Amino acid sequence: MDTVEDATIDPAPRPHATAEEVAAALEDTKLAQVLYHDWEAETYDEKWSISYDERCIDYARGRFDAVAGDQPLPYGRALELGCGTGFFLLNLMQAGVAEKGSVTDLSPGMVKVALRNAENLGLDVDGRVADAETIPYEDNTFDLVVGHAVLHHIPDVEQSLREVLRVLKPGGRFVFAGEPSTVGNFYARWLGRATWEVTTRVTKIPALSSWRRPQEELDESSRAAALEAVVDLHTFDPSDLELIARSAGARNVHAETEEFAAALLGWPVRTFEAAVPADKLGWGWAKFAFGGWKTLSKLDERVLRHVVPRRFFYNVAITGTKPVS
Ligand SMILES: C[S@@+](CC[C@H](N)C(=O)[O-])C[C@H]1O[C@@H](n2cnc3c(N)ncnc32)[C@H](O)[C@@H]1O
């Protein structure tokens, strides 16, 4: 059964942030989080190719198993922080990782979409609008707390992890995945910017004008990029993140990194997709993008992780447990 436990969820989807709203949000990081993510909520799954079928179930389970795959399943009650549209927890539940879920996010628009997705999938999920620095649940409530691509948005990561440990039952586990590494973020941003510049310049050539998105859409993307720079607060060195988790009180802390060659392909591909009209890229492109990412991920896993230092990989994941006494 899906229930919305917080009456503050705004039922109206937010269409686009205005230039004034963007200006106000530049001064207030949490306002920026809500504005940016409410703005993205209804189109987020499409933008990031998120689905709730085998492809993303395998992807979510793979990211979970990379740091916590040696643990007995299923967990009973699981909480997700910064759930977005529910990509991580809903797919983990479908993969048999947890039986009952609670999705939370600072953005009301995201919680609304996550609950809708859970209902469509028939999963046992409730939801609340919640700040990860002050989690609105009782002590010792959850067997598992998860998050994907959320820690880098939270101003005080250690405070949030203290809250995670408070709401976990003794011995309970947290798993956060999909965080940008400091080195990975540097090359990803650089590759993204270069791809955007080249694509938007080349599509100014009249013969290629059908590959150019309308100017107002490109302006909107630039406004989104300005907000993105405000909402992305941290990058992580895996060893530093382990220290933060231990300092918050966690035990059995362990970080893993993934995606080096795969990220070098993935960032230009995603930026190119955002810079040209969606109808220009057909099935062949999707096959190339996904197939290429999969092949390079295998290269990363089988070869490069044994020779390239872990901080060079793009994605950081971390796990740990709440002390038993
Ligand atoms: C990059 S999105 C990731 C969404 C989803 N986990 C995924 O992987 O698709 C980050 C999410 O964290 C949320 N968020 C940002 N700051 C937060 C905070 N302080 N507390 C809770 N959620 C937050 C945002 O609203 C957004 O939905």
Side-chain angles (χ1 to χ4, degrees), residues 307-318:
V307 288
V308 178
R310 68 174 184 166
R311 68 178 195 285
F312 284 85
F313 286 68
Y314 181 80
N315 271 327
V316 184
I318 187 156

Side-chain angles (χ1 to χ4, degrees), residues 33-53:
Q33 299 288 354
V34 175
L35 189 64
Y36 179 72
H37 291 106
D38 269 6
W39 179 13
E40 286 215 303
E42 291 292 335
T43 52
Y44 194 80
D45 282 346
E46 192 191 333
K47 174 178 171 186
W48 293 102
S49 301
I50 291 174
S51 61
Y52 298 89
D53 55 13

Side-chain angles (χ1 to χ4, degrees), residues 33 37 44 82-84 87 105-107 110 130-132 148-150 153:
Q33 299 288 354
H37 291 106
Y44 194 80
C83 63
F87 153 71
D105 198 289
L106 200 56
S107 150
M110 287 293 197
D131 186 339
H148 184 266
V150 60
H153 291 303

Side-chain angles (χ1 to χ4, degrees), residues 165-223:
L165 293 171
R166 181 183 66 71
V167 300
L168 274 173
K169 294 175 186 168
R173 177 168 294 277
F174 63 82
V175 173
F176 289 93
E179 299 299 336
S181 71
T182 303
V183 178
N185 186 62
F186 174 78
Y187 61 69
R189 297 260 165 196
W190 192 90
L191 285 169
R193 261 200 306 273
T195 309
W196 182 266
E197 281 299 313
V198 170
T199 310
T200 52
R201 271 167 206 237
V202 167
T203 53
K204 277 185 180 159
I205 299 169
L208 293 174
S209 63
S210 68
W211 282 83
R212 189 169 176 82
R213 281 176 55 193
Q215 191 56 44
E216 60 275 18
E217 287 181 21
L218 292 174
D219 290 347
E220 193 184 315
S221 291
S222 301
R223 285 211 296 275

